[in-house]
Each structure stands twice: as structure tokens, then as C-alpha cells.
Amino acid sequence: MSDLLLGGMDDDSRLLVAALAEWAACMVYVLVARRRAVWLPTAAIAGAGLVALAGLHLWTGSLSTLGWAFGIVLAVAVMWVLLIASLRVSVLEAGYLVAKSFVVAELAASLYWQIVWFWLGDSAAWVRVLVLACVLAAVLFAVWAIERRRMADGAGLGVGWRDMAGAGAIAVLTFVGSNVTLIVELPSFADVSGPVLLYVRTLVDFCGAIALFAQQEVRRELQARRDADATAQLLRNQHDQYVVSRRAMDEVNRRYHDMRHHIDAVRAETDSASRAQLLDDLAESLQDHGDQVRTGNRVVDAVLTGKRVRARDDGIEVRCVVDGTLLDFMAPLDVTALLGNAIDNALEAARLVPEPRSVRVALFAHDDFVMLRVANSYDGTVTRSGGRLVSRKAEQGHGYGLSSIRAIAQRHGGTVSVDPGERWFSLHVLLPRPGV
């Protein structure tokens, strides 16, 4: 059965084709993604990867079925190391690319074996090598053309654990489905001809590749929606900051005009107690002048300023001790989504308690990390669903926004924790500081 499925090729040729296809599929992503080094070191790493894959396949191909399966796992590990060494990607991102490379390699190899079975027969070795080069070039060029538009040079993939697990599951199911007759001898396949098995194998590999690229499109659409929401929030925050600035300018002009009268009134007052009261009233009237926040990061300033304006209208005091420069490494959309969701959640909970209502925001460096801490007064009631905190407005489609916060933290290698105390609810986001 395995001879039929492999198109009549000898074992060494089959194993070398598999190794070459896996290596070439990895090279597609080396061409389109961020590389760690210039071409010469990258070429050396690529050459070592090809030798390792070929040697590994030739060694494990002579073992039992279990040994061959273990060799596939080792080949995947080699591909993983090859991409990590060649590209500026995280371990999760490299694993995601390995899953796609592996399925693409399976598809290219299956297509080549099908051509060998139908048309090449006992053709010369150089003909088979030429056809193999053409098949790999055609399949991998198609993948390169697709990925080149989706992976701008210098851009991260933003892959999380769920994306990695989903891609890995698709790759495993595709491999098992296309190689089932190599793994176990099934009586139901005993009377099936070789061409039919080759058709099925190529079709399964093709469906697996389609599933992976469909998953990528879903990820892109979800990311586009998140970016659109974050952009809208950023625009709202910038508008709020503009309103605050305009209000502050009008207030300065008015108070400058009135200040002379206030000074004259203080000078004219002979009673010391009344004069002190006038000075206290004047100081209190100036207390609210200062809604604008200056942290060293314009995006952080816009978010905090907008949230303070809205909080003051609801009678909520917002205290900020923030070094905005610590978030300079993050994209503006991530900053607005992270801070905006965290503070919105705090304000939502604080509105439910009687005055005094308070929200405290702190952003500071902690060893080699950046710590964001948002605490708010609340009524001590939390609602959980499936082990996660949810809003009491969950039936209307609202939530704590922790899923978005967690996604952003995970993209930057950070963690999120919450502390629902008796009177204060605290959110902590810990992010590693790049370059530290």
C-alpha cells in the first residue's frame, strides 16, 4: 500500500523529496518575513537546516513506523529551530509558520508524487529532478505571492496561543489524514487503487493548506476590527483632549479678565478672616483647571485626558501617576486599547457605588518590566462565567474588556492579573521592557 501511495519511488528518493519540500517551504517565509541577519549568515543557517532535515529523514526512514513518526516530530523541531534562527519572530510565531510550512511541503510533495505516478514512470533521474524543481517552484511561488502581501517586512505576526494551537491542530489532522495508510493498514483501503489514494492524499493536503490560510484571513479580519475599534477610541480621546484644551483656553481668558477684580476685592477687604475666605474661594475656583495630563507620551496623554473629563462629569476622581514614555515601544492602537479598556472598566464599576468614587492609574517601571495598575472603588460584587470575570451587563454584549487586554499583553509577552478586594478592584498588567 505504501508503494502505491508513494508513486513507485524508492525510499531514499521519497525521503529526500520530503526533506527538500520542508526546507523550501521554510525558505518562503525567510524571504518574506523579518530576518535576524544579512543574507550570508542566513544562507549558512539555511544550508545547515537542509543538511539536518535530509540526514534526519534518511536516518528515521529506515526505522519502524513508530520511528518514522518520531522522525517527523524531529523534522518539525528542526524546521522550528531553522525559522527561529533565521527570523525575528517569537517562539509562538515560529511555531505558527512551521505549521503552515509543513502543510505546504506535504502538498508540494504529494503533487510531485502524483505526477511521478501518472506521467514520469521510468523516466531518467534528471527529468524527475527537473519536474520536482518545477513543482516546488510553482507551489512555493504561489505561497510567496500570497504571503508577501500579508507579511510586510518588519511587521510582527501577533500570534497567540490559540492561533498557534489552531494551526498546529490543522497541520496534525492534515498529516494524519493524508498519511493514514502509511501509519496503519486499513482493510477498507485494500482494494483501492494507487491513483485514487494519490488523489485523496493531494486533496487532503490541499484542504489543509486552504484551512490554514482561511484561519489566517479570519485572524486578519478580527485584527482589523480591533484596530478599527482602537482607532475610533483614539479619535474620541483626541476629541476629548481638544475639548479640554479649548475649555481650558476659554477658562484662562475668562479668569484672566476677572482676576483683576478678585485682586481688588482682596485688597479692599480689611477683615483678615474674610480676606482668607476670599483667597480660599479663589484657590478653589482654580482647582479644576488642569484636566490635561502630561506623561511624555501623546497617545497616553489623549487617553487619560479624555477619561478624566468623562469621569469628572460622573463625579469620579481619577488620580494618575503615569510615566507614558514606558509605553513608547507599543503601537498607538495597542496603547489606546490597553489603557482605554482598563480605565473604562474601572469607571463602569465606580459609577455603581456612592460618592466618593475614585479610580487610580499607575504606570511605572518595575525591574525589567513595565507595570500598569488600575484600581477603582466598587461595591465588592463580581460576576463570573466559565471561571472568568464578566460585567453585570453581559446580557447586552458588554464585558470587562479583559479579553482585549489579555490579547494585547500576550502579544508583547506580558501577563494580566486581577485582585477583586473588599472595597477596591485592581487590574495589573505586567509587560517586559524591550532592550532591558
Side-chain angles (χ1 to χ4, degrees), residues 296-326:
N297 183 306
R298 296 182 62 184
V299 178
V300 175
D301 296 346
V303 174
L304 294 180
T305 299
K307 300 307 178 185
R308 288 187 68 176
V309 171
R310 296 185 180 183
R312 190 182 64 177
D313 294 339
D314 292 332
I316 302 174
E317 179 190 22
V318 178
R319 298 181 180 179
C320 301
V321 181
V322 173
D323 181 1
T325 60
L326 295 174

PDB file of all heavy atoms in Angstrom, residues 296-326:
ATOM      1  N   GLY A 296       4.484  62.435  28.806  1.00  0.00           N
ATOM      2  CA  GLY A 296       5.614  62.181  27.931  1.00  0.00           C
ATOM      3  C   GLY A 296       5.261  61.334  26.723  1.00  0.00           C
ATOM      4  O   GLY A 296       6.104  61.101  25.859  1.00  0.00           O
ATOM      5  N   ASN A 297       4.025  60.863  26.661  1.00  0.00           N
ATOM      6  CA  ASN A 297       3.543  60.074  25.520  1.00  0.00           C
ATOM      7  C   ASN A 297       2.212  60.671  25.089  1.00  0.00           C
ATOM      8  O   ASN A 297       1.247  60.678  25.853  1.00  0.00           O
ATOM      9  CB  ASN A 297       3.378  58.603  25.918  1.00  0.00           C
ATOM     10  CG  ASN A 297       2.962  57.719  24.756  1.00  0.00           C
ATOM     11  OD1 ASN A 297       1.973  57.965  24.079  1.00  0.00           O
ATOM     12  ND2 ASN A 297       3.722  56.656  24.531  1.00  0.00           N
ATOM     13  N   ARG A 298       2.125  61.195  23.870  1.00  0.00           N
ATOM     14  CA  ARG A 298       0.946  61.920  23.427  1.00  0.00           C
ATOM     15  C   ARG A 298      -0.287  61.027  23.382  1.00  0.00           C
ATOM     16  O   ARG A 298      -1.397  61.483  23.657  1.00  0.00           O
ATOM     17  CB  ARG A 298       1.194  62.536  22.051  1.00  0.00           C
ATOM     18  CG  ARG A 298       2.296  63.587  22.048  1.00  0.00           C
ATOM     19  CD  ARG A 298       2.459  64.204  20.678  1.00  0.00           C
ATOM     20  NE  ARG A 298       1.264  64.890  20.251  1.00  0.00           N
ATOM     21  CZ  ARG A 298       1.115  65.460  19.055  1.00  0.00           C
ATOM     22  NH1 ARG A 298       2.104  65.394  18.176  1.00  0.00           N
ATOM     23  NH2 ARG A 298      -0.002  66.077  18.742  1.00  0.00           N
ATOM     24  N   VAL A 299      -0.107  59.774  23.018  1.00  0.00           N
ATOM     25  CA  VAL A 299      -1.258  58.867  22.980  1.00  0.00           C
ATOM     26  C   VAL A 299      -1.784  58.618  24.387  1.00  0.00           C
ATOM     27  O   VAL A 299      -2.992  58.661  24.632  1.00  0.00           O
ATOM     28  CB  VAL A 299      -0.869  57.538  22.294  1.00  0.00           C
ATOM     29  CG1 VAL A 299      -2.045  56.571  22.300  1.00  0.00           C
ATOM     30  CG2 VAL A 299      -0.403  57.793  20.872  1.00  0.00           C
ATOM     31  N   VAL A 300      -0.879  58.361  25.316  1.00  0.00           N
ATOM     32  CA  VAL A 300      -1.291  58.175  26.717  1.00  0.00           C
ATOM     33  C   VAL A 300      -1.955  59.450  27.240  1.00  0.00           C
ATOM     34  O   VAL A 300      -2.968  59.395  27.950  1.00  0.00           O
ATOM     35  CB  VAL A 300      -0.076  57.794  27.584  1.00  0.00           C
ATOM     36  CG1 VAL A 300      -0.471  57.709  29.054  1.00  0.00           C
ATOM     37  CG2 VAL A 300       0.509  56.470  27.107  1.00  0.00           C
ATOM     38  N   ASP A 301      -1.395  60.617  26.877  1.00  0.00           N
ATOM     39  CA  ASP A 301      -1.998  61.890  27.299  1.00  0.00           C
ATOM     40  C   ASP A 301      -3.438  61.995  26.809  1.00  0.00           C
ATOM     41  O   ASP A 301      -4.336  62.410  27.562  1.00  0.00           O
ATOM     42  CB  ASP A 301      -1.187  63.064  26.748  1.00  0.00           C
ATOM     43  CG  ASP A 301       0.218  63.115  27.318  1.00  0.00           C
ATOM     44  OD1 ASP A 301       0.464  62.418  28.320  1.00  0.00           O
ATOM     45  OD2 ASP A 301       1.057  63.834  26.752  1.00  0.00           O
ATOM     46  N   ALA A 302      -3.665  61.645  25.547  1.00  0.00           N
ATOM     47  CA  ALA A 302      -5.008  61.759  24.974  1.00  0.00           C
ATOM     48  C   ALA A 302      -5.984  60.838  25.682  1.00  0.00           C
ATOM     49  O   ALA A 302      -7.116  61.229  25.989  1.00  0.00           O
ATOM     50  CB  ALA A 302      -4.969  61.444  23.480  1.00  0.00           C
ATOM     51  N   VAL A 303      -5.555  59.600  25.952  1.00  0.00           N
ATOM     52  CA  VAL A 303      -6.450  58.651  26.616  1.00  0.00           C
ATOM     53  C   VAL A 303      -6.795  59.121  28.022  1.00  0.00           C
ATOM     54  O   VAL A 303      -7.971  59.184  28.412  1.00  0.00           O
ATOM     55  CB  VAL A 303      -5.803  57.248  26.655  1.00  0.00           C
ATOM     56  CG1 VAL A 303      -6.664  56.296  27.477  1.00  0.00           C
ATOM     57  CG2 VAL A 303      -5.627  56.705  25.241  1.00  0.00           C
ATOM     58  N   LEU A 304      -5.772  59.462  28.808  1.00  0.00           N
ATOM     59  CA  LEU A 304      -6.011  59.844  30.204  1.00  0.00           C
ATOM     60  C   LEU A 304      -6.798  61.146  30.297  1.00  0.00           C
ATOM     61  O   LEU A 304      -7.679  61.291  31.161  1.00  0.00           O
ATOM     62  CB  LEU A 304      -4.677  59.977  30.942  1.00  0.00           C
ATOM     63  CG  LEU A 304      -3.878  58.683  31.107  1.00  0.00           C
ATOM     64  CD1 LEU A 304      -2.576  58.960  31.862  1.00  0.00           C
ATOM     65  CD2 LEU A 304      -4.699  57.643  31.847  1.00  0.00           C
ATOM     66  N   THR A 305      -6.504  62.084  29.429  1.00  0.00           N
ATOM     67  CA  THR A 305      -7.237  63.350  29.452  1.00  0.00           C
ATOM     68  C   THR A 305      -8.708  63.124  29.158  1.00  0.00           C
ATOM     69  O   THR A 305      -9.589  63.648  29.860  1.00  0.00           O
ATOM     70  CB  THR A 305      -6.639  64.332  28.434  1.00  0.00           C
ATOM     71  OG1 THR A 305      -5.279  64.606  28.778  1.00  0.00           O
ATOM     72  CG2 THR A 305      -7.424  65.640  28.422  1.00  0.00           C
ATOM     73  N   GLY A 306      -9.003  62.357  28.119  1.00  0.00           N
ATOM     74  CA  GLY A 306     -10.397  62.084  27.778  1.00  0.00           C
ATOM     75  C   GLY A 306     -11.121  61.357  28.893  1.00  0.00           C
ATOM     76  O   GLY A 306     -12.286  61.684  29.214  1.00  0.00           O
ATOM     77  N   LYS A 307     -10.472  60.373  29.502  1.00  0.00           N
ATOM     78  CA  LYS A 307     -11.128  59.617  30.572  1.00  0.00           C
ATOM     79  C   LYS A 307     -11.357  60.496  31.805  1.00  0.00           C
ATOM     80  O   LYS A 307     -12.380  60.363  32.488  1.00  0.00           O
ATOM     81  CB  LYS A 307     -10.280  58.399  30.947  1.00  0.00           C
ATOM     82  CG  LYS A 307     -10.047  57.424  29.807  1.00  0.00           C
ATOM     83  CD  LYS A 307     -11.332  56.976  29.154  1.00  0.00           C
ATOM     84  CE  LYS A 307     -11.059  56.045  27.985  1.00  0.00           C
ATOM     85  NZ  LYS A 307     -12.298  55.693  27.250  1.00  0.00           N
ATOM     86  N   ARG A 308     -10.430  61.404  32.124  1.00  0.00           N
ATOM     87  CA  ARG A 308     -10.615  62.278  33.277  1.00  0.00           C
ATOM     88  C   ARG A 308     -11.789  63.227  33.074  1.00  0.00           C
ATOM     89  O   ARG A 308     -12.536  63.514  34.013  1.00  0.00           O
ATOM     90  CB  ARG A 308      -9.332  63.075  33.540  1.00  0.00           C
ATOM     91  CG  ARG A 308      -8.206  62.244  34.105  1.00  0.00           C
ATOM     92  CD  ARG A 308      -7.027  63.092  34.514  1.00  0.00           C
ATOM     93  NE  ARG A 308      -7.327  63.944  35.657  1.00  0.00           N
ATOM     94  CZ  ARG A 308      -6.437  64.725  36.253  1.00  0.00           C
ATOM     95  NH1 ARG A 308      -5.193  64.769  35.794  1.00  0.00           N
ATOM     96  NH2 ARG A 308      -6.765  65.450  37.276  1.00  0.00           N
ATOM     97  N   VAL A 309     -11.950  63.712  31.841  1.00  0.00           N
ATOM     98  CA  VAL A 309     -13.083  64.607  31.564  1.00  0.00           C
ATOM     99  C   VAL A 309     -14.399  63.877  31.795  1.00  0.00           C
ATOM    100  O   VAL A 309     -15.310  64.386  32.461  1.00  0.00           O
ATOM    101  CB  VAL A 309     -13.000  65.139  30.118  1.00  0.00           C
ATOM    102  CG1 VAL A 309     -14.268  65.887  29.749  1.00  0.00           C
ATOM    103  CG2 VAL A 309     -11.796  66.055  29.973  1.00  0.00           C
ATOM    104  N   ARG A 310     -14.524  62.689  31.234  1.00  0.00           N
ATOM    105  CA  ARG A 310     -15.767  61.940  31.395  1.00  0.00           C
ATOM    106  C   ARG A 310     -15.982  61.514  32.844  1.00  0.00           C
ATOM    107  O   ARG A 310     -17.120  61.479  33.326  1.00  0.00           O
ATOM    108  CB  ARG A 310     -15.742  60.711  30.477  1.00  0.00           C
ATOM    109  CG  ARG A 310     -15.712  61.078  29.007  1.00  0.00           C
ATOM    110  CD  ARG A 310     -15.807  59.875  28.103  1.00  0.00           C
ATOM    111  NE  ARG A 310     -15.784  60.274  26.697  1.00  0.00           N
ATOM    112  CZ  ARG A 310     -15.899  59.440  25.685  1.00  0.00           C
ATOM    113  NH1 ARG A 310     -16.050  58.151  25.908  1.00  0.00           N
ATOM    114  NH2 ARG A 310     -15.867  59.892  24.447  1.00  0.00           N
ATOM    115  N   ALA A 311     -14.895  61.159  33.528  1.00  0.00           N
ATOM    116  CA  ALA A 311     -15.029  60.762  34.926  1.00  0.00           C
ATOM    117  C   ALA A 311     -15.484  61.929  35.788  1.00  0.00           C
ATOM    118  O   ALA A 311     -16.319  61.761  36.691  1.00  0.00           O
ATOM    119  CB  ALA A 311     -13.688  60.226  35.432  1.00  0.00           C
ATOM    120  N   ARG A 312     -14.961  63.115  35.540  1.00  0.00           N
ATOM    121  CA  ARG A 312     -15.367  64.282  36.337  1.00  0.00           C
ATOM    122  C   ARG A 312     -16.850  64.580  36.152  1.00  0.00           C
ATOM    123  O   ARG A 312     -17.543  64.944  37.097  1.00  0.00           O
ATOM    124  CB  ARG A 312     -14.534  65.499  35.946  1.00  0.00           C
ATOM    125  CG  ARG A 312     -14.722  66.688  36.885  1.00  0.00           C
ATOM    126  CD  ARG A 312     -13.927  67.883  36.432  1.00  0.00           C
ATOM    127  NE  ARG A 312     -14.400  68.378  35.139  1.00  0.00           N
ATOM    128  CZ  ARG A 312     -13.895  69.454  34.552  1.00  0.00           C
ATOM    129  NH1 ARG A 312     -12.887  70.098  35.109  1.00  0.00           N
ATOM    130  NH2 ARG A 312     -14.361  69.858  33.391  1.00  0.00           N
ATOM    131  N   ASP A 313     -17.363  64.387  34.929  1.00  0.00           N
ATOM    132  CA  ASP A 313     -18.791  64.604  34.695  1.00  0.00           C
ATOM    133  C   ASP A 313     -19.642  63.625  35.489  1.00  0.00           C
ATOM    134  O   ASP A 313     -20.803  63.928  35.816  1.00  0.00           O
ATOM    135  CB  ASP A 313     -19.103  64.470  33.199  1.00  0.00           C
ATOM    136  CG  ASP A 313     -18.453  65.582  32.382  1.00  0.00           C
ATOM    137  OD1 ASP A 313     -18.115  66.627  32.971  1.00  0.00           O
ATOM    138  OD2 ASP A 313     -18.282  65.392  31.157  1.00  0.00           O
ATOM    139  N   ASP A 314     -19.081  62.423  35.801  1.00  0.00           N
ATOM    140  CA  ASP A 314     -19.809  61.425  36.582  1.00  0.00           C
ATOM    141  C   ASP A 314     -19.475  61.493  38.064  1.00  0.00           C
ATOM    142  O   ASP A 314     -19.903  60.629  38.836  1.00  0.00           O
ATOM    143  CB  ASP A 314     -19.478  60.015  36.069  1.00  0.00           C
ATOM    144  CG  ASP A 314     -20.033  59.768  34.682  1.00  0.00           C
ATOM    145  OD1 ASP A 314     -21.055  60.390  34.346  1.00  0.00           O
ATOM    146  OD2 ASP A 314     -19.451  58.957  33.933  1.00  0.00           O
ATOM    147  N   GLY A 315     -18.708  62.493  38.448  1.00  0.00           N
ATOM    148  CA  GLY A 315     -18.366  62.630  39.857  1.00  0.00           C
ATOM    149  C   GLY A 315     -17.336  61.624  40.332  1.00  0.00           C
ATOM    150  O   GLY A 315     -17.333  61.239  41.503  1.00  0.00           O
ATOM    151  N   ILE A 316     -16.457  61.178  39.438  1.00  0.00           N
ATOM    152  CA  ILE A 316     -15.429  60.201  39.786  1.00  0.00           C
ATOM    153  C   ILE A 316     -14.068  60.875  39.731  1.00  0.00           C
ATOM    154  O   ILE A 316     -13.718  61.511  38.736  1.00  0.00           O
ATOM    155  CB  ILE A 316     -15.446  59.001  38.813  1.00  0.00           C
ATOM    156  CG1 ILE A 316     -16.820  58.336  38.816  1.00  0.00           C
ATOM    157  CG2 ILE A 316     -14.367  57.986  39.185  1.00  0.00           C
ATOM    158  CD1 ILE A 316     -16.963  57.229  37.786  1.00  0.00           C
ATOM    159  N   GLU A 317     -13.325  60.745  40.797  1.00  0.00           N
ATOM    160  CA  GLU A 317     -11.974  61.312  40.846  1.00  0.00           C
ATOM    161  C   GLU A 317     -10.984  60.316  40.235  1.00  0.00           C
ATOM    162  O   GLU A 317     -10.967  59.138  40.606  1.00  0.00           O
ATOM    163  CB  GLU A 317     -11.575  61.606  42.291  1.00  0.00           C
ATOM    164  CG  GLU A 317     -10.172  62.179  42.423  1.00  0.00           C
ATOM    165  CD  GLU A 317      -9.703  62.242  43.861  1.00  0.00           C
ATOM    166  OE1 GLU A 317     -10.240  61.488  44.696  1.00  0.00           O
ATOM    167  OE2 GLU A 317      -8.786  63.032  44.141  1.00  0.00           O
ATOM    168  N   VAL A 318     -10.189  60.791  39.288  1.00  0.00           N
ATOM    169  CA  VAL A 318      -9.174  59.956  38.648  1.00  0.00           C
ATOM    170  C   VAL A 318      -7.800  60.503  39.006  1.00  0.00           C
ATOM    171  O   VAL A 318      -7.472  61.642  38.657  1.00  0.00           O
ATOM    172  CB  VAL A 318      -9.351  59.919  37.116  1.00  0.00           C
ATOM    173  CG1 VAL A 318      -8.234  59.082  36.485  1.00  0.00           C
ATOM    174  CG2 VAL A 318     -10.701  59.340  36.746  1.00  0.00           C
ATOM    175  N   ARG A 319      -7.023  59.713  39.702  1.00  0.00           N
ATOM    176  CA  ARG A 319      -5.659  60.089  40.063  1.00  0.00           C
ATOM    177  C   ARG A 319      -4.683  59.306  39.204  1.00  0.00           C
ATOM    178  O   ARG A 319      -4.793  58.077  39.076  1.00  0.00           O
ATOM    179  CB  ARG A 319      -5.388  59.800  41.539  1.00  0.00           C
ATOM    180  CG  ARG A 319      -6.274  60.592  42.501  1.00  0.00           C
ATOM    181  CD  ARG A 319      -5.920  60.275  43.933  1.00  0.00           C
ATOM    182  NE  ARG A 319      -6.745  61.008  44.879  1.00  0.00           N
ATOM    183  CZ  ARG A 319      -6.649  60.900  46.200  1.00  0.00           C
ATOM    184  NH1 ARG A 319      -5.725  60.080  46.720  1.00  0.00           N
ATOM    185  NH2 ARG A 319      -7.446  61.585  46.985  1.00  0.00           N
ATOM    186  N   CYS A 320      -3.731  60.016  38.629  1.00  0.00           N
ATOM    187  CA  CYS A 320      -2.786  59.391  37.700  1.00  0.00           C
ATOM    188  C   CYS A 320      -1.352  59.637  38.145  1.00  0.00           C
ATOM    189  O   CYS A 320      -0.975  60.784  38.405  1.00  0.00           O
ATOM    190  CB  CYS A 320      -2.971  59.943  36.281  1.00  0.00           C
ATOM    191  SG  CYS A 320      -4.625  59.703  35.594  1.00  0.00           S
ATOM    192  N   VAL A 321      -0.594  58.564  38.246  1.00  0.00           N
ATOM    193  CA  VAL A 321       0.853  58.632  38.424  1.00  0.00           C
ATOM    194  C   VAL A 321       1.434  57.786  37.292  1.00  0.00           C
ATOM    195  O   VAL A 321       1.584  56.561  37.406  1.00  0.00           O
ATOM    196  CB  VAL A 321       1.291  58.107  39.795  1.00  0.00           C
ATOM    197  CG1 VAL A 321       2.810  58.219  39.938  1.00  0.00           C
ATOM    198  CG2 VAL A 321       0.586  58.872  40.909  1.00  0.00           C
ATOM    199  N   VAL A 322       1.733  58.421  36.179  1.00  0.00           N
ATOM    200  CA  VAL A 322       1.999  57.698  34.934  1.00  0.00           C
ATOM    201  C   VAL A 322       3.247  58.233  34.251  1.00  0.00           C
ATOM    202  O   VAL A 322       3.390  59.444  34.083  1.00  0.00           O
ATOM    203  CB  VAL A 322       0.784  57.817  33.977  1.00  0.00           C
ATOM    204  CG1 VAL A 322       1.112  57.209  32.627  1.00  0.00           C
ATOM    205  CG2 VAL A 322      -0.446  57.159  34.585  1.00  0.00           C
ATOM    206  N   ASP A 323       4.129  57.346  33.875  1.00  0.00           N
ATOM    207  CA  ASP A 323       5.270  57.671  33.025  1.00  0.00           C
ATOM    208  C   ASP A 323       4.954  57.107  31.641  1.00  0.00           C
ATOM    209  O   ASP A 323       5.205  55.933  31.344  1.00  0.00           O
ATOM    210  CB  ASP A 323       6.547  57.055  33.585  1.00  0.00           C
ATOM    211  CG  ASP A 323       7.778  57.380  32.738  1.00  0.00           C
ATOM    212  OD1 ASP A 323       7.622  58.103  31.724  1.00  0.00           O
ATOM    213  OD2 ASP A 323       8.877  56.904  33.079  1.00  0.00           O
ATOM    214  N   GLY A 324       4.384  57.939  30.789  1.00  0.00           N
ATOM    215  CA  GLY A 324       3.933  57.475  29.487  1.00  0.00           C
ATOM    216  C   GLY A 324       5.041  57.014  28.576  1.00  0.00           C
ATOM    217  O   GLY A 324       4.801  56.228  27.647  1.00  0.00           O
ATOM    218  N   THR A 325       6.274  57.461  28.812  1.00  0.00           N
ATOM    219  CA  THR A 325       7.386  57.056  27.942  1.00  0.00           C
ATOM    220  C   THR A 325       7.660  55.550  28.021  1.00  0.00           C
ATOM    221  O   THR A 325       8.283  54.992  27.117  1.00  0.00           O
ATOM    222  CB  THR A 325       8.664  57.821  28.310  1.00  0.00           C
ATOM    223  OG1 THR A 325       9.013  57.537  29.688  1.00  0.00           O
ATOM    224  CG2 THR A 325       8.458  59.318  28.158  1.00  0.00           C
ATOM    225  N   LEU A 326       7.181  54.907  29.080  1.00  0.00           N
ATOM    226  CA  LEU A 326       7.397  53.468  29.221  1.00  0.00           C
ATOM    227  C   LEU A 326       6.623  52.662  28.189  1.00  0.00           C
ATOM    228  O   LEU A 326       6.916  51.477  27.975  1.00  0.00           O
ATOM    229  CB  LEU A 326       7.004  53.015  30.637  1.00  0.00           C
ATOM    230  CG  LEU A 326       7.856  53.568  31.782  1.00  0.00           C
ATOM    231  CD1 LEU A 326       7.276  53.168  33.121  1.00  0.00           C
ATOM    232  CD2 LEU A 326       9.303  53.069  31.652  1.00  0.00           C
TER     233      LEU A 326
END
